[in-house]
Amino acid sequence: MISSVVCARLGRTVSSNRRTLAASSVLSHPFRTFSSEAVATAPVTSTRHVHPPRPIGEIPSYLSSLNIPPEKFTPGKAFQLINDRVTNGQLASRNEFLAICNTSRPESLKDATVIYKALIKLRRCNGHVFVGYEGTAAVEGMIRSCTPVERPKMSMEKMKQKKMDRAGFLVEAVLDKDTTLYTCITDEDYEKVVKFVYEATTYYVPPAADQPAEADEAEEVEEAAEEPTEELGYHAKLKLTKSQRTPLQILTDQTKETFRMMVQRASPKPTNRMTKRAARKYNRHAMQTTPPNSEAVRLVVQLCLVAGDLDGAEELVEFYHHILRKNVDAGVLDTIAEAQRLKLAEEEAVIAAAAGVQRLLEEEAAEAQRLLEEQEAEALRLKEEEEAEAQRLLEEEKAAAQLLLEEEAAEAQRFLEGEKAAAQLLLKEEAAEAQRLLEEEAEALNAKEEAVAEVQTNKTVDTDSNTSDSDS
């Protein structure tokens, strides 16, 4: 068995136009399949003693030596045993990792998580460099454990949610560079991953009974017309947080990133924009250099179209052509062209719907304006009628007051005339009484004068008599 220090110092050479596995790459891990001729020709840079390699069939498996019953042999139990050994500084073989992957149980997300952890643990602590068949076993094991089984009591919405969550877990496993799956899986394995994600996103969920599919089409048209027709740019999309994006958009973005990684690994210079340290790490673990096959490209493009990301699909096709200097299949281009045509038709429909809604809004505004004018005219007419009624009542009250004043004036005049007549009558009576009194006084005076005259006469007579008597 070769020392791990020697294995770490043995590297892999990369040609400028094509990536081929050199003779030294077979010694990058102690349990990689190699031959004695390769050992004789490989340049050994370490001064330590290099043990002769063993054939793959003679490598002892720690798990097989434990004699674990088949019914108790689970990926979790196997990983626990291997983890203890790896933690103590011992090395794990490829057969032990394959045992973890091949014994994963259906619909057991725990087993898929165990494979995910085993990929990271063996690469980090075991110096493990995964090869193609190990990546295939890991992908198949995780897909088997991530595939949910439909049950009679499980609703279709819950089944779709479970499919979406597990598809996100599988894509995250490929996207995580600590697992190095993107460097060891084949194009067929990547096709299986993308197919699993596409089936999860296109899982049909029938509409609810209280919300029929054809109902409220007018409301949907109005909502579509109210939404802005311009789509977000690339940089604006990057600023969207996970809370602002739907799970389908998040899953689509992750799948697009894995597609870029798979295309980038097939480029002539995949480490062109890497640092030296990252490039050495990549070259040490890069086992597969095949790009995504035509079916995987078609499924990724279909996934972008399902998520409504036509710009993303076009960007992936351009990226594929820019990196690999070749075009995708004509069927994919036809699909994108059909999607563009449908998008253009939808935009025209949205514009027409917006114009219709605008026309309806203008008609409603005109109707509202007309009603408002009618209400204002009616209010003005009622106001004029009220003012005329108030003027009439005021005139009637004024006339009544004038009549009352005239009656009061006439009554006062009549009263004054009565008073005047009474006063005149009283004056007449007083004048008559005074005249009577004056006449009585005159009569009394006359009588008095007559009496005085009589007295005077009598006195004169007496005087005369007396004179006569004296004369006599």
Side-chain angles (χ1 to χ4, degrees), residues 63 78 85 115 138 241 290 325 362 385 395:
L63 298 178
R85 295 180 61 236
I115 298 175
T241 60
T290 55
R325 301 299 180 183
E362 291 176 356
E385 290 180 356
E395 291 177 356

Side-chain angles (χ1 to χ4, degrees), residues 7 23 75 80 118 156 177-178 198 210 335 375 384 401 424 465:
C7 297
Q80 182 180 3
M156 302 189 75
K177 293 185 178 180
D178 290 337
Y198 180 75
D210 54 346
T335 302
Q375 292 177 357
E384 291 177 354
Q424 290 178 355
S465 64

Side-chain angles (χ1 to χ4, degrees), residues 130-251:
F130 296 100
V131 293
Y133 63 88
E134 289 179 308
T136 301
V139 169
E140 291 178 353
M142 284 193 289
I143 290 177
R144 181 168 55 252
S145 298
C146 289
T147 303
V149 178
E150 295 186 5
R151 294 181 175 84
K153 295 183 179 180
M154 182 181 297
S155 62
M156 302 189 75
E157 291 84 359
K158 189 174 181 180
M159 172 61 67
K160 182 177 180 63
Q161 183 63 34
K162 183 178 289 189
K163 282 179 173 288
M164 290 284 290
D165 294 341
R166 299 191 176 186
F169 170 81
L170 186 60
V171 173
E172 187 69 26
V174 178
L175 193 61
D176 190 359
K177 293 185 178 180
D178 290 337
T179 62
T180 64
L181 273 180
Y182 74 102
T183 62
C184 65
I185 60 175
T186 61
D187 53 347
E188 290 83 3
D189 300 333
Y190 182 70
E191 178 187 344
K192 295 176 184 177
V193 174
V194 177
K195 185 177 181 181
F196 183 84
V197 175
Y198 180 75
E199 290 177 353
T201 55
T202 56
Y203 185 77
Y204 175 72
V205 177
D210 54 346
Q211 296 180 354
E214 295 110 13
D216 301 334
E217 291 184 358
E219 296 181 0
E220 293 180 358
V221 170
E222 291 183 2
E223 291 178 358
E226 292 176 359
E227 294 179 356
T229 55
E230 295 184 0
E231 295 185 357
L232 293 175
Y234 177 73
H235 296 286
K237 288 180 180 180
L238 291 180
K239 295 181 181 180
L240 294 177
T241 60
K242 287 189 177 181
S243 60
Q244 295 174 314
R245 295 186 296 171
T246 61
L248 179 58
Q249 291 175 340
I250 296 173
L251 184 59

Side-chain angles (χ1 to χ4, degrees), residues 337-353:
E338 181 67 17
Q340 291 175 346
R341 186 186 63 79
L342 293 177
K343 182 181 178 180
L344 183 61
E346 289 178 358
E347 290 178 354
E348 293 177 353
V350 169
I351 293 174

